[in-house]
Amino acid sequence: MRIRIVDAFTDQPFAGNPAGVCLLEAGPWPADSWMRQIAAEVNLSETAFARPLPDDPDADWDLRWFTPTVEAKMCGHATLATTHAMSSDGLLDGRVRFNSLSGVLVASVEDQLITLDFPVSLPAVIEAPEGLREALRIEPVEVYRTEPLGDLLVVLPDEAAVRSAAPDLIAVAELTEKFAFRGAILTAPAERDGEPPAAGYDFVSRFFAPGHGIPEDPVTGSAHTGLAPYWAERLGRERLVGYQASARGGVVQVLLAGDRVHLTGHAVTVIDGELKI
């Protein structure tokens, strides 16, 4: 079976967020245990498995995502990577509908830019959970929980604080498990020198999900379904650009469209090979 590694939310190789992509034949899913083993072997934050649905009127492909340890309910960068692989193979004509654990997700391709249509995950203010400051090793400005994804959204005072943050990942894993968070998002406004920000993005973020086998995710599309409504309200604009300030880094263009968020970015295939099992 063919397997690819695609860097998502970047137009340069070895940046953005790499995802494994396996496009399967039509028919039953392989065993969950086998897909988990493949995802663990690939050892990226997510590996996507997709199979065509020739007789489904509501979706074109089934799509599932696996971290090295668990099946994910939603993954933006691996969906973008899968769409890129399908487009490269000539398997879609500008648009594809994926059936997933998060419902039907639509992806479209235009001029090598891929846009994902995902449900919004609204942030609600919460009290800082016990142990948050110790786990993050930083003082938050505001704390939110996004629903339905259940991310812990922590607002910091400035971009420098996000970039320099060095959380205690063991403590973050314990905290997210105790309070049933998927992961922890750190975010702040971009450093500004006039309008628009000189850096070319409006806000920065980082995402940590050590409890799901992802110490720090390079670029997290799904986290932007909660970042988009927060920053849209704060900055007064529905169309924004986010930069995820991980070691690899990546850019996510976001558009808040009612109860949906459009996530747009590039992707690059860096490895194209064959499983020998």
Side-chain angles (χ1 to χ4, degrees):
M1 187 183 70
R2 188 179 183 188
I3 185 168
R4 278 167 273 196
I5 294 177
V6 177
D7 290 344
F9 292 114
T10 179
D11 59 2
Q12 300 292 325
F14 314 121
N17 199 353
V21 177
C22 295
L23 301 183
L24 308 174
E25 302 288 339
W29 282 113
D32 285 9
S33 58
W34 181 84
M35 289 188 283
R36 289 193 181 95
Q37 286 178 315
I38 296 299
E41 186 76 8
V42 174
N43 201 31
L44 297 173
S45 54
E46 257 95 7
T47 296
F49 299 86
R51 61 173 185 171
L53 297 172
D55 301 319
D56 192 324
D58 299 317
D60 307 303
W61 288 70
D62 256 339
L63 180 61
R64 296 172 71 180
W65 313 276
F66 289 83
T67 80
T69 58
V70 300
E71 183 170 6
K73 183 178 180 181
M74 179 186 288
C75 180
H77 85 278
T79 305
L80 190 140
T82 301
T83 306
H84 170 79
M86 294 172 61
S87 179
S88 299
D89 290 354
L91 297 176
L92 59 88
D93 183 19
R95 184 174 179 270
V96 61
R97 300 168 300 166
F98 293 113
N99 180 58
S100 78
L101 290 178
S102 291
V104 175
L105 306 175
V106 177
S108 57
V109 183
E110 184 176 355
D111 295 331
Q112 298 185 334
L113 270 176
I114 299 169
T115 297
L116 311 177
D117 182 344
F118 275 26
V120 72
S121 193
L122 292 173
V125 176
I126 61 171
E127 293 291 330
E130 181 182 357
L132 175 66
R133 293 168 178 83
E134 294 78 10
L136 297 182
R137 297 172 172 157
I138 201 165
E139 186 69 26
V141 175
E142 298 172 309
V143 182
Y144 296 80
R145 182 185 181 95
T146 71
E147 292 293 356
L149 281 183
D151 286 333
L152 175 65
L153 176 59
V154 180
V155 182
L156 299 184
D158 52 40
E159 180 173 335
V162 173
R163 289 180 177 272
S164 63
D168 179 338
L169 294 178
I170 294 176
V172 171
E174 293 172 349
L175 182 144
T176 53
E177 180 180 4
K178 179 179 179 180
F179 294 99
F181 293 111
R182 183 183 71 145
I185 308 168
L186 307 184
T187 191
E191 297 291 345
R192 289 175 177 267
D193 183 13
E195 293 289 345
Y201 49 85
D202 300 287
F203 61 89
V204 295
S205 66
R206 292 170 69 190
F207 183 81
F208 303 89
H212 287 179
I214 307 170
E216 180 173 2
D217 198 30
V219 190
T220 317
S222 59
H224 285 74
T225 64
L227 288 163
Y230 174 81
W231 287 110
E233 180 175 357
R234 180 163 167 178
L235 299 178
R237 287 186 284 118
E238 294 178 338
R239 190 180 297 274
L240 301 159
V241 179
Y243 179 73
Q244 194 151 331
S246 65
R248 293 173 63 99
V251 175
V252 184
Q253 301 174 40
V254 301
L255 172 64
L256 184 63
D259 62 354
R260 310 292 294 184
V261 177
H262 297 172
L263 311 170
T264 299
H266 290 91
V268 181
T269 300
V270 292
I271 295 176
D272 191 341
E274 185 179 354
L275 289 169
K276 296 296 185 181
I277 56 171

